[in-house]
Amino acid sequence: MAASAAPSPPSDSGAQPGDAWSAGPELAVRSQELDKIFSNGFQALRKVDLAVGKGEVVVIMGPSGSGKSTLIRTFNGLETIQGGHLEVLGHHLDADNNQKVVSKIRRHVGMVFQQFNLFPHLSILENVTLAPIWVQKRDRQKVKKDALALLDHVGIREQANKYPSQLSGGQQQRVAIARSLALSPRLMLFDEPTSALDPEKVKEVLETIRTLAAEGMTMVVVTHEVGFAREVADRVVFMDEGMIVEEASPQTFFTDPKEERSKLFLSRIL
Amino acid sequence: MAESSRSRRHRLLLTLRRNLFASPLDGLITLVLLAVCGSGLWFLMHWALIKADWAVVYENVCLYFNGIFPADHVWRSWSWLAVLAALCGLTLWPWPLPRPLMRLLPLLWILSLPIGLVLLASGLGLEPVRSRFWGGLQLTLLLTLGTIALALPLGILLALGRRSSLPLLRWLCTSYIELIRGVPLIAVLFFGQLMIPLFLPEGWTFSRVLRAVLSLGFFVAAYMAEDVRGGLQALPRTQLEAARSLGLSPLKTITLVELPQALRIALPALANQCVASVQNTSLLAYLGLIELLGISRSILANPSYLGRHLEVYLWLALLYWAVCILMTSLARRLERTLNVTGHH
Ligand SMILES: Nc1ncnc2c1ncn2[C@@H]1O[C@H](COP(=O)(O)OP(=O)(O)OP(=O)(O)O)[C@@H](O)[C@H]1O
Ligand SMILES: [Mg+2]
């Protein structure tokens, strides 16, 4: 409650970069000179500048170890940052991640992982209703109805009473998406959502994400699915060694990349 | 038909020969073992049926079960034992039970201890009975349930404390666990019986039973903490990240995501601790409690049962064994129920 007494515009963080920097209403994420240094001294992000507009779909690509996961994990406070500025949905994150700010951000940011990370001891329905009931403290009956509608939306309503281990990978990943959507997020982060799936299951999950994009959801997607990126992304961001090497529209990036490293990468995956 | 049955018999003989008489030495060993087991069994049966005098057991059934509980109140002790037996029966019932009853079972188990305290001590208009009149199997079970009721929550807290991010808390919990695990139980029990009164403010007294439960509980908690910690460590870090990403607070992450899974993993080890606790209560016979072993020792001290040790201890072994078998089956049952509703 004390937090809401603080000034609501994101001007309460320690380091004040001035008005010029503030992300403004049209941006969902903005990072400036973002540095991530792990406790073992390894620097995974080097001065990353990135802006994600509301309603925009940004695809991040790059070789393994380039810092893609680390970058999107800073967006919901799973990783702290060591330098630079980061603003997510109007909330400032800085080096000493304020727990209150982080939990505010998490209420509006959904995250989907490569390994689904469903809760194995809860049924599909309970997985989806857990956060609305315990985080948003909404009415159980209403939450349950909404959850079933969401499961219907991602095409697994019939499985609502099963347990995660009884579902295929593709179905589990769709449940994970529904679980995030249950909190009505304003930003969705996807970390290689199809990399752990059998080839024939990739399509159903991408289809679900594509529908979301069509509905206007703001999304940052780490993926190597070129077809998906071409069709859905508004922008492709190419990372290497903790830096953003190139940013372009999918059209330009896949047909006419500027940087040598992008060309090398594309020659390997295309 | 005849052909196949003969060939089956033939195969059986072959198997027997291969497993028991493969070589002359094997054959010899088999024969010697058969002779030893056979004569042992024959001796035991001969003793139990002809030489033994079981009067020491059947004349004192009430003592073994209820101790020296006052005669006009002994129905209360019997009722509690009956409640426990009924709960065991319901839980182990192999055929489907009505759903509401199934839902109620965990609650009934939790209530079994307070119900026991009311029946044995006083309350609900029952006349008070001092705890020094408690005894026999009833006291053994009370001590066991009390120990578990104290040790399990405490063990969980210790396990959580041990991996806390607060250095002082972590250090305290770790030291406690390591300290207790380095001390023999009998020392802890003596400490509890003799030292707890010294630390209590003037005018406070704890009954022996309460002191015993406290010392047993604090002892077992250290072991349970390690089992729970093992369960917590077995969880992938990603579970925690998923919970955090959904905005669950650290406390809710623990109670809704981590503990339910960790306890499930730790269940067999925890059940083991519970069975060990039953047997550990018998040490209290040496500290003046008349639980199952204690009451048996007083019965044996009665001159009319002179030299009936073997009968009494065999009977005791049977009782302890029955209690432990029951607890193991309960634990296995719980494991099975949990596995049906989740995991694997
Ligand atoms: N907790 C950590 N401590 C130290 N180094 C880490 C940690 N997590 C990641 N790293 C390192 O940071 C770098 C970036 O990791 P990250 O997971 O962001 O890469 P990625 O681009 O997502 O790769 P991939 O495609 O394999 O998922 C890697 O070199 C990795 O080894
Ligand atoms: Mg990654």
Side-chain angles (χ1 to χ4, degrees), chain B residues 246-274:
Chain B
L246 287 171
L248 290 171
S249 65
L251 185 66
K252 284 191 182 123
T253 304
I254 288 173
T255 53
L256 297 172
V257 175
E258 291 187 90
L259 272 185
Q261 297 187 60
L263 288 180
R264 216 166 281 206
I265 298 169
L267 184 62
L270 291 174
N272 218 6
Q273 298 295 346
C274 294

Side-chain angles (χ1 to χ4, degrees), chain B residues 14-25:
Chain B
L14 269 183
T15 320
L16 276 181
R17 191 155 122 198
R18 202 171 40 236
N19 288 334
L20 301 175
F21 298 94
S23 69
L25 182 63

